[in-house]
Amino acid sequence: MHRLLAAPVLLLSCVAIARSQEPCARCHPAETAAFSQSPMGRSVGPPTVFAEGRIVHKLSGTVATIHQRGPLLEHKLERQGMVAEYPVAYSVGAGIVGYSYMVRLGRYLFQSPISYYTQTKSWDLTPGYETEPHLDFTHQISSGCLFCHTGSVNFIAGTANQFGDPPFTPITCERCHGSPAAHLTKPVPGSIVNPAKLAPNRRDSVCEQCHLEGAVRVLNPGRDWWDFQAGQAAESVFVTYLRAAPGTLRAVSQSELLARSQCVRRSGDRLWCANCHNPHANEPNRAQTVRRVCLSCHGDLFAAGRHRAADECVSCHMPRIRPTNVAHSAITDHSIPRIPRSQPADEGDADPEPKAWREPDQGLVRRDLGLAYFDLAASTHAAPDLYQAYQILSQLPPQQRLDPTVEADLASVLLAEGHTDLAIRMYTRASAQEPSNARYVYCLGTAFERAGKMEDAIKELKRSVGLDPSRPDAYLELAQLYRKAGLEAQSRNALREYLSFMPQNIQLRLPE
């Protein structure tokens, strides 16, 4: 069944890519042709790498193999005689560092645990899967996952992770220039966004929406990632928080590294990404392009004898450096060091407080900071972060504490501290405000379980499954609840129900 789905899915993707540039190409054929070959223009599509390979997940002993079957690329996992195998539906990335992959299961997309790393021409585990005790196709694709690799998403109405056909469109001119509607009606200067003519924070936001990852990002109230449009300040939709951590370097750190450079600091906001990066032009010799930009400020460097003659600047002043969160890769050091080095200099000691890249409106500063602390605690399990999250969120004005995201995060802290009744009330209010949010309902079910209210717990966990049958947590929690109550048949049925959705899941098919 899954193999039959793949070919039409790939066809739809190719058609969407071809059609997406048509309005702009009629008047700007050279620019759109160049963009289609740029990294942004090639950020998602059908697989292009068909090399076969084999890797082993050390923690579980799972063997992953990659092979081609006709026109399809297939990813296969094997453990203790159990097999999970899917055709790849989409390739993600332009291949500068590598490619990750998505498989499709009905209306849902999942990230494959297998990625290809182009710099070493090797297959290995996808970042995020390395530390998991069981290897499966379990990382679900949602809105935030696709924000930086696609131009739009096509969700089934009322859902946040169920996709129509095609599930998304590729990145187009709109990503940097906004809606073309007014421009198509009356194509005059000023009828479309020109990033170079925006105020610095709005200009830089065009690039930072994807090239500034930070430690965590927080959506403002009622916002979605896709609310951001070129011409806006990113912090009007979401806030990116940085956290100093000596010895670490993220693969997506170009914007923060560039901001550290003396070139940017002394340029008075004149230097920005588009001085060196032009998505409208094919640049076969990038080093010479960058050298021209450098000489626009340092034109007398060689004549004055302050620098030896050089054909290019990049190898010394923008060397390749290795990120700590993505294996088999190297990125360009955008901090532009005066003296060549193998890694960018640390910006002081570790700072426990996350710093906003740019603050949101004053009324949201504390709210967003508290949510940032909570998200950091969720990933690091650091008690101080959780404490700070509670201290900030619990002291917000009453109206802000009724924000469903704030209520749910506070409820999680209270539940961890044993305040089950209060947590139940807060999860109930959060799920009432967002009735389709399966995660809130799942958390409400676990709170009822902690309170010993098993009937209510079962009811809410089943409701969570009904809202989103793709997430295993609710099934596993139900199975455990039934087992504790001595209801072995119901426990097995809960697991079978998940396997009816994802029949190839290895972990739940292994003998106990």
Side-chain angles (χ1 to χ4, degrees):
M1 173 183 173
H2 306 304
R3 188 168 293 118
L4 294 174
L5 282 172
V9 164
L10 293 179
L11 177 60
L12 285 166
S13 173
C14 294
V15 170
I17 290 170
R19 287 180 177 170
S20 59
Q21 304 286 20
E22 283 178 5
C24 303
R26 287 196 292 269
C27 296
H28 307 282
E31 288 84 354
T32 53
F35 176 81
S36 68
Q37 297 304 309
S38 72
M40 283 194 296
R42 295 182 289 108
S43 64
V44 69
T48 56
V49 174
F50 288 91
E52 300 203 344
R54 179 183 184 276
I55 56 177
V56 178
H57 181 236
K58 294 179 181 178
L59 293 181
S60 67
T62 303
V63 176
T65 55
I66 306 94
H67 56 272
Q68 183 176 358
R69 192 188 302 271
L72 301 178
L73 179 69
E74 297 197 335
H75 286 181
K76 179 179 179 181
L77 304 179
E78 295 181 81
R79 180 182 173 193
Q80 296 182 29
M82 298 295 174
V83 175
E85 184 175 22
Y86 293 95
V88 170
Y90 298 100
S91 171
V92 181
I96 296 173
V97 172
Y99 299 99
S100 60
Y101 299 92
M102 290 185 283
V103 302
R104 186 157 192 176
L105 190 59
R107 293 178 171 182
Y108 297 89
L109 293 170
F110 293 87
Q111 185 182 40
S112 170
I114 305 166
S115 288
Y116 186 76
Y117 296 86
T118 51
Q119 294 174 11
T120 56
K121 294 182 173 57
S122 62
W123 295 96
D124 208 338
L125 295 173
T126 301
Y129 273 104
E130 309 98 326
T131 59
E132 297 202 351
H134 305 282
L135 198 65
D136 259 309
F137 293 84
T138 50
H139 288 195
Q140 192 178 91
I141 299 296
S142 60
S143 177
C145 306
L146 295 173
F147 178 60
C148 287
H149 292 284
T150 64
S152 65
V153 288
N154 178 21
F155 285 126
I156 302 297
T159 74
N161 58 3
Q162 297 182 42
F163 296 87
D165 287 317
F168 44 73
T169 61
I171 293 175
T172 66
C173 309
E174 289 188 37
R175 200 54 181 264
C176 299
H177 296 286
S179 170
H183 189 66
L184 291 171
T185 301
K186 190 176 182 180
V188 297
S191 62
I192 198 166
V193 173
N194 180 346
K197 295 183 178 180
L198 296 171
N201 68 324
R202 295 171 185 265
R203 175 198 69 193
D204 295 343
S205 290
V206 172
C207 304
E208 291 166 0
Q209 60 177 308
C210 291
H211 294 279
L212 177 68
E213 181 180 18
V216 65
R217 284 179 159 189
V218 174
L219 284 166
N220 289 333
R223 291 293 207 167
D224 184 80
W225 305 110
W226 298 94
D227 290 337
F228 176 80
Q229 299 293 317
Q232 297 176 319
E235 60 271 20
S236 68
V237 177
F238 58 86
V239 180
T240 303
Y241 289 87
L242 310 181
R243 188 179 226 175
T248 64
L249 176 69
R250 293 179 177 273
V252 183
S253 58
Q254 293 89 345
S255 291
E256 56 191 280
L257 288 174
L258 184 62
R260 291 186 197 176
S261 71
Q262 290 299 314
C263 297
V264 164
R265 290 176 177 179
R266 297 187 181 188
S267 74
D269 284 326
R270 295 193 307 276
L271 182 65
W272 70 296
C273 309
N275 292 127
C276 298
H277 297 278
N278 182 0
H280 300 147
N282 289 315
E283 298 174 323
N285 194 330
R286 288 281 299 128
Q288 285 301 306
T289 300
V290 174
R291 184 178 188 270
R292 285 193 294 272
V293 176
C294 297
L295 292 180
S296 68
C297 287
H298 303 285
D300 65 341
L301 205 59
F302 303 128
R306 292 186 289 114
H307 196 292
R308 62 178 175 80
D311 293 330
E312 51 85 27
C313 311
V314 170
S315 59
C316 289
H317 300 290
M318 299 188 77
R320 303 290 282 173
I321 51 178
R322 295 200 174 278
T324 55
N325 66 330
V326 177
H328 312 294
S329 64
I331 63 172
T332 300
D333 185 355
H334 280 68
S335 67
I336 318 177
R338 180 172 174 269
I339 300 172
R341 56 178 180 247
S342 59
Q343 288 293 103
D346 289 327
E347 291 281 286
D349 297 329
D351 187 344
E353 181 174 337
K355 304 289 187 184
W357 181 252
R358 283 189 298 272
E359 295 284 9
D361 290 343
Q362 186 59 37
L364 297 176
V365 168
R366 297 297 288 172
R367 179 252 188 203
D368 287 0
L369 179 60
L371 295 178
Y373 267 116
F374 183 87
D375 289 348
L376 287 167
S379 61
T380 64
H381 307 290
D385 288 341
L386 199 61
Y387 174 78
Q388 285 297 328
Y390 180 78
Q391 288 295 105
I392 294 171
L393 296 177
S394 64
Q395 294 174 24
L396 292 176
Q399 194 60 36
Q400 281 195 337
R401 289 204 303 272
L402 294 177
D403 176 325
T405 308
V406 172
E407 287 241 88
D409 286 1
L410 278 172
S412 296
V413 179
L414 291 166
L415 186 62
E417 294 297 318
H419 302 290
T420 53
D421 290 341
L422 186 53
I424 287 170
R425 290 200 295 273
M426 298 182 83
Y427 281 136
T428 299
R429 288 196 296 265
S431 62
Q433 290 188 69
E434 295 187 10
S436 63
N437 191 314
R439 194 68 190 170
Y440 291 168
V441 177
Y442 165 78
C443 291
L444 178 58
T446 60
F448 276 127
E449 181 186 358
R450 294 275 189 92
K453 300 177 180 179
M454 296 306 167
E455 288 187 10
D456 290 326
I458 290 170
K459 175 186 172 185
E460 297 303 329
L461 291 170
K462 285 185 173 180
R463 185 158 72 99
S464 179
V465 167
L467 288 169
D468 186 355
S470 68
R471 298 184 183 275
D473 299 5
Y475 301 93
L476 295 170
E477 199 72 29
L478 274 170
Q480 183 176 317
L481 254 177
Y482 286 131
R483 189 174 295 114
K484 285 181 180 177
L487 302 172
E488 290 295 332
Q490 287 92 326
S491 178
R492 289 192 294 272
N493 285 339
L495 299 180
R496 287 195 195 103
E497 190 177 352
Y498 177 64
L499 287 172
S500 70
F501 169 80
M502 185 170 271
Q504 296 197 57
N505 182 276
I506 291 178
Q507 181 187 356
L508 297 186
R509 289 186 292 143
L510 289 173
E512 295 184 6

